[in-house]
Amino acid sequence: MPNVPSYPQLPPISLSRQLSGLSNPAFHIEDDPTSARSSASSRLSVHPAVNVEDVDSVGGGHRRHIRQILTPQDPNLKTLTVPRVSKASRQSKVADKEKNLHSQSEDDDEEETETAVRAWPSQSSILSGDDGLKERPASSASQASYVVNERLQELVKMFKERTERAKEKLIDPDDSDDDSPTPEEEAQPASPEREMEEQQPQSRLCCKVTPPRWIRALLQYRFPSSIDPFTNLVYVLWLFFVTLAWNWNVWLIPMRWAFPYQTPSNIYLWLLADYLCDLIYILDIMVFQPRLQFVRGGDIVFDKKDMRKNYMKTFRFKMDVISLVPLELFYFKTGINPLLRFPRLLKVMSFFEFNDRLEAILTKAYVYRVIRTTSYLLYCLHCNACLFYWISAYEGLGSTKWVYDGKGNSYIRCYYFAVKTLITIGGLPEPTTLFEIIFQLINYFVGVFAFSIMIGQMRDVVGAATSGQTYYRACMDNTVKYMASYRIPKDVQNRVKTWYNYTWQSQGMLDEQELLVQLPDKMRLDIAVDVNYDIVSKVSLFQGCDRQMIFDMLKSLRSVVYLPGDYVCKKGEVGREMYIIKAGEVQVVGGPDGKTVFVTLKSGSVFGEISLLAVGGGNRRTANVVAHGFANLFILDKKDLNEILVHYPESQKLLRKKLYKTISKQENAHPEAALLVAGDFNAGKLKSI
């Protein structure tokens, strides 16, 4: 049968001691083979034949299979026909069975009686139940029929279980047949190893600790095959560690050489830190630098072999290799002298690269420039302090009034002397020997040049940081000077000053176009989309227009700030611009006194659009628009919009259609205070504010 699992071979069916195979006198064995054959041909046409294998007969040291055909009997007969077995095989079987019966225990006898298939006296007694079957011994034919029934029952049971699993799978698709155990797995007892494996995940789940996000990100990070040195933050972080290793050598090599801080008790800690810095140098040369992308002929090169060759051709590679020259091998001859690590200072190019990359990602880079310039000054003082202590130790501590006397903290005392010398404060002891005089003169000259350079660089850093504010102050001062020379009224001057202050505080610049004019057209478009697209896309007038048309329009918008009470446009003016409110509110005023508020427009509103879309002239404003508080507006010139709409005729038709509907709606609602008052639309004689 298809889709029916295979079963292992059943154990041999044990026979009782009655060789006739009958357990009831009602049954009759037909020993005559001829009569059996003659009756078989007539009965086979009505009932199917059953093949039964005799698994009990053994001959020649191996199991012999004898196929016998059980012919179905006449339903009117009450006798059971059993295939005939030869006397020799029957006698050998009986002998074997008798030996097994005498040698087995009582428990084995019970198992044998349970597995034996028993016959029943009549056909009606089949339905009498299992108790009757257990009480009667069985013939070989009845045993075969019972085995077939058992097999069928097992198959039916398995098909039912399989159907139930299929139903469960349809109800809950997440469960799969692979997860459900098979009957063989359910029947097998759980081994101790399996129980321990099942208990371990439970214990792990109970004690599960979720690591922090940065640890999970670090574990999931995969080192890239190529690195962009300008945008990769991981590379900037690595340069920070390289800079730390370089600063360790720059600051501590002269200090360990001059001051007696390196002693035999702590020499191993110094060496550990030194070799850790060397390891960082090696990783930078072997791992990071050969993976840096570069530009060749306008193309960015990603190939590993080309990147490695490009790095090996640079001057930086030569300096990096020289910085790792193992002069520490002379330790075995001269002892541990920190000056032998002097080549480590040649990796200075990594320090300058780190400065450039860090300034590129900082929003206020001038703060870091000030800190870096200050560190230059402190390092000059550090080197001078080391030299002063070395000279004092060379001449003898406390040998003269000029040298260090050996009291107090040696580094702090010498650093104080270096500050007074380089800054030329005065109050220093007079040098007595020629060597002291020469050293003091060199200190004075170096101090003058070093401090002049530092002061000039600090001025440049501070000036670059405040260049925008300086420009704003210069513009406002020139405007105020101009208004004073022409005796402009004070209220107007105050409003101009207020405009300068508010514009600088809100935008950080006076004109955005001056800042973006140097950028390429594509970059200006990207910046304009990120800054202004959300506001312009919400304007109902432009909804449904070509997206590229809106992008082109964004590049032509100008941002203007209006103070409270300023007139954005006045009645009677010729309209040449359209306004989009970016922030703040404006009010449409009119009436006999000119102060009646008709409409208040908020962020995202548009007014003055008829002056842009009208064909003819005579487009004059019909109402006053006043800023209610500080208002930031986008202004779109008519000339710029016409140049854009030439390339988008469908959008132009859509805008005119929306404009006509807006005119009709506003005429019915507010005929006097309408922002857009209709005229002869077809002739192009439209009025607007």
Side-chain angles (χ1 to χ4, degrees):
M1 296 179 65
N3 299 327
V4 177
S6 60
Y7 287 84
Q9 189 173 2
L10 294 175
I13 301 174
S14 59
L15 299 176
S16 60
R17 294 186 181 181
Q18 296 180 4
L19 299 180
S20 60
L22 297 177
S23 59
N24 194 306
F27 291 99
H28 173 67
I29 302 175
E30 296 181 357
D31 293 333
D32 190 2
T34 58
S35 60
R37 287 192 208 99
S38 60
S39 60
S41 59
S42 61
R43 291 191 293 266
L44 281 174
S45 60
V46 182
H47 302 283
V50 180
N51 295 333
V52 179
E53 295 180 1
D54 187 3
V55 298
D56 292 357
S57 60
V58 180
H62 61 279
R63 186 170 296 178
R64 184 166 51 91
H65 300 281
I66 302 174
R67 293 192 174 183
Q68 299 178 354
I69 300 177
L70 295 179
T71 57
Q73 304 177 19
D74 190 355
N76 297 324
L77 296 177
K78 294 185 179 181
T79 59
L80 178 65
T81 304
V82 180
R84 179 168 180 167
V85 185
S86 62
K87 293 183 179 181
S89 61
R90 198 184 317 173
Q91 291 176 359
S92 62
K93 249 202 251 185
V94 171
D96 294 337
K97 290 296 179 179
E98 288 179 352
K99 291 179 182 179
N100 292 333
L101 289 174
H102 289 293
S103 60
Q104 288 177 350
S105 61
E106 294 179 359
D107 296 336
D108 295 335
D109 294 338
E110 293 178 359
E111 294 178 358
E112 189 177 359
T113 56
E114 289 179 359
T115 58
V117 180
R118 306 189 179 215
W120 45 86
S122 61
Q123 187 73 16
S124 61
S125 63
I126 297 177
L127 304 175
S128 61
D130 296 337
D131 297 334
L133 294 176
K134 293 180 181 179
E135 293 176 358
R136 301 177 181 276
S139 64
S140 58
S142 61
Q143 292 173 3
S145 61
Y146 182 74
V147 169
V148 172
N149 291 333
E150 269 190 333
R151 292 280 185 90
L152 293 176
Q153 291 176 2
E154 291 177 359
L155 289 176
V156 171
K157 183 178 179 181
M158 290 187 62
F159 284 137
K160 288 182 178 180
E161 293 176 354
R162 184 175 178 181
T163 305
E164 293 296 331
R165 290 198 299 269
K167 289 181 179 179
E168 293 176 358
K169 186 176 181 181
L170 292 175
I171 296 173
D172 191 0
D174 296 336
D175 298 336
S176 60
D177 293 340
D178 298 334
D179 298 336
S180 59
T182 58
E184 290 81 6
E185 293 177 352
E186 292 179 352
Q188 292 178 358
S191 60
E193 295 80 1
R194 187 172 179 181
E195 291 180 356
M196 294 178 61
E197 291 178 358
E198 293 178 354
Q199 291 176 0
Q200 286 178 358
Q202 295 179 358
S203 61
R204 286 197 296 267
L205 290 174
C206 295
C207 304
K208 184 177 180 180
V209 178
T210 304
R213 182 180 298 178
W214 65 272
I215 294 180
R216 286 179 289 172
L218 189 63
L219 294 176
Q220 296 175 358
Y221 179 76
R222 296 296 178 267
F223 197 79
S225 59
S226 63
I227 300 174
D228 185 2
F230 297 99
T231 59
N232 195 318
L233 297 181
V234 176
Y235 179 66
V236 178
L237 180 62
W238 171 252
L239 287 178
F240 171 73
F241 289 108
V242 177
T243 303
L244 285 181
W246 181 80
N247 277 278
W248 170 270
N249 294 316
V250 166
W251 287 80
L252 295 181
I253 285 177
M255 189 183 71
R256 290 161 59 188
W257 165 72
F259 291 92
Y261 292 149
Q262 181 175 296
T263 60
S265 60
N266 60 12
I267 188 64
Y268 297 104
L269 298 177
W270 291 106
L271 293 178
L272 178 62
D274 290 343
Y275 295 140
L276 181 61
C277 295
D278 294 347
L279 179 61
I280 294 177
Y281 280 21
I282 294 172
L283 290 177
D284 184 62
I285 296 175
M286 301 296 294
V287 178
F288 284 87
Q289 297 302 324
R291 284 179 165 84
L292 294 183
Q293 303 171 8
F294 67 97
V295 179
R296 182 175 58 190
D299 297 331
I300 301 176
V301 179
F302 300 93
D303 186 69
K304 291 183 179 180
K305 187 176 181 180
D306 293 341
M307 290 187 294
R308 183 171 62 254
K309 288 182 178 180
N310 178 72
Y311 170 63
M312 296 178 66
K313 291 179 182 178
T314 58
F315 177 74
R316 179 175 180 173
F317 172 73
K318 299 178 178 63
M319 297 292 291
D320 292 345
V321 173
I322 295 174
S323 66
L324 286 175
V325 173
L327 297 181
E328 289 87 347
L329 297 176
F330 291 99
Y331 284 174
F332 298 101
K333 184 176 181 180
T334 62
I336 300 177
N337 189 355
L339 285 181
L340 294 176
R341 292 183 55 83
F342 183 78
R344 303 298 186 272
L345 306 184
L346 297 178
K347 202 172 176 61
V348 65
M349 299 183 69
S350 298
F351 171 71
F352 291 123
E353 185 184 6
F354 172 71
N355 294 332
D356 296 338
R357 301 292 176 263
L358 187 62
E359 290 178 5
I361 63 177
L362 292 177
T363 55
K364 296 183 178 180
Y366 64 88
V367 176
Y368 176 73
R369 296 190 189 108
V370 172
I371 296 174
R372 185 183 60 196
T373 305
T374 305
S375 65
Y376 291 160
L377 175 61
L378 297 178
Y379 182 73
C380 292
L381 298 174
H382 170 78
C383 292
N384 190 267
C386 295
L387 288 175
F388 177 69
Y389 184 87
W390 176 78
I391 292 174
S392 300
Y394 177 78
E395 292 189 349
L397 298 178
S399 58
T400 62
K401 293 182 179 180
W402 185 82
V403 299
Y404 171 59
D405 57 0
K407 298 179 181 179
N409 189 295
S410 58
Y411 182 78
I412 298 298
R413 294 293 184 96
C414 294
Y415 201 90
Y416 174 73
F417 172 83
V419 171
K420 294 178 67 177
T421 303
L422 292 181
I423 302 179
T424 62
I425 295 176
L428 295 173
E430 294 292 333
T432 57
T433 64
L434 180 63
F435 185 75
E436 294 175 355
I437 293 174
I438 294 174
F439 179 78
Q440 192 68 9
L441 290 175
I442 294 175
N443 273 347
Y444 286 146
F445 283 112
V446 172
V448 170
F449 284 104
F451 270 87
S452 61
I453 292 173
M454 297 299 172
I455 291 173
Q457 188 173 3
M458 190 70 70
R459 180 183 60 83
D460 294 339
V461 170
V462 176
T466 59
S467 59
Q469 190 172 5
T470 303
Y471 174 74
Y472 149 71
R473 289 291 181 185
C475 291
M476 189 172 68
D477 293 342
N478 293 332
T479 304
V480 171
K481 184 179 179 180
Y482 173 82
M483 291 187 297
S485 62
Y486 283 93
R487 298 180 181 181
I488 304 299
K490 287 294 184 181
D491 56 342
V492 178
Q493 294 186 22
N494 292 334
R495 293 182 66 81
V496 171
K497 294 178 182 178
T498 304
W499 181 87
Y500 270 106
N501 292 329
Y502 178 79
T503 304
W504 175 256
Q505 292 177 2
S506 60
Q507 298 182 171
M509 62 192 72
L510 297 178
D511 189 4
E512 296 178 352
Q513 299 298 327
E514 293 181 1
L515 182 66
L516 304 177
V517 69
Q518 298 177 355
L519 296 177
D521 187 70
K522 182 64 172 65
M523 291 186 179
R524 285 192 286 119
L525 175 60
D526 294 340
I527 294 176
V529 168
D530 293 335
V531 175
N532 304 325
Y533 181 75
D534 291 340
I535 298 174
V536 177
S537 62
K538 295 178 182 178
V539 178
S540 59
L541 180 64
F542 300 116
Q543 291 179 359
C545 295
D546 194 301
R547 186 182 181 89
Q548 189 61 40
M549 187 272 291
I550 297 178
F551 288 166
D552 294 342
M553 188 180 62
L554 290 176
K555 295 185 293 184
S556 303
L557 294 177
R558 293 183 295 109
S559 178
V560 179
V561 175
Y562 290 89
L563 303 182
D566 283 352
Y567 281 89
V568 180
C569 55
K570 291 185 178 181
K571 183 178 181 180
E573 292 180 348
V574 177
R576 298 184 182 90
E577 300 93 5
M578 181 185 70
Y579 300 90
I580 302 174
I581 302 176
K582 179 181 179 181
E585 297 178 354
V586 297
Q587 294 178 342
V588 181
V589 297
D593 55 353
K595 296 182 180 180
T596 305
V597 178
F598 297 107
V599 180
T600 299
L601 304 177
K602 298 182 179 180
S603 176
S605 300
V606 179
F607 59 92
E609 61 267 33
I610 289 184
S611 62
L612 271 72
L613 299 175
V615 179
N619 303 315
R620 295 185 178 274
R621 312 289 188 185
T622 58
N624 298 325
V625 180
V626 182
H628 181 64
F630 291 95
N632 193 344
L633 306 180
F634 285 131
I635 299 178
L636 180 62
D637 190 77
K638 180 178 182 178
K639 180 180 178 181
D640 297 334
L641 182 61
N642 289 336
E643 293 177 356
I644 295 172
L645 291 179
V646 169
H647 305 285
Y648 305 97
E650 297 297 332
S651 298
Q652 184 177 12
K653 293 178 182 179
L654 180 62
L655 288 176
R656 291 183 181 275
K657 185 177 180 181
K658 288 186 176 182
L659 187 62
Y660 184 77
K661 291 181 179 179
T662 304
I663 293 172
S664 302
K665 182 178 180 181
Q666 292 181 351
E667 277 186 337
N668 297 330
H670 305 284
E672 182 180 357
L675 294 179
L676 305 174
V677 179
D680 188 1
F681 184 77
N682 297 327
K685 297 179 180 180
L686 299 176
K687 296 180 180 180
S688 62
I689 58 173

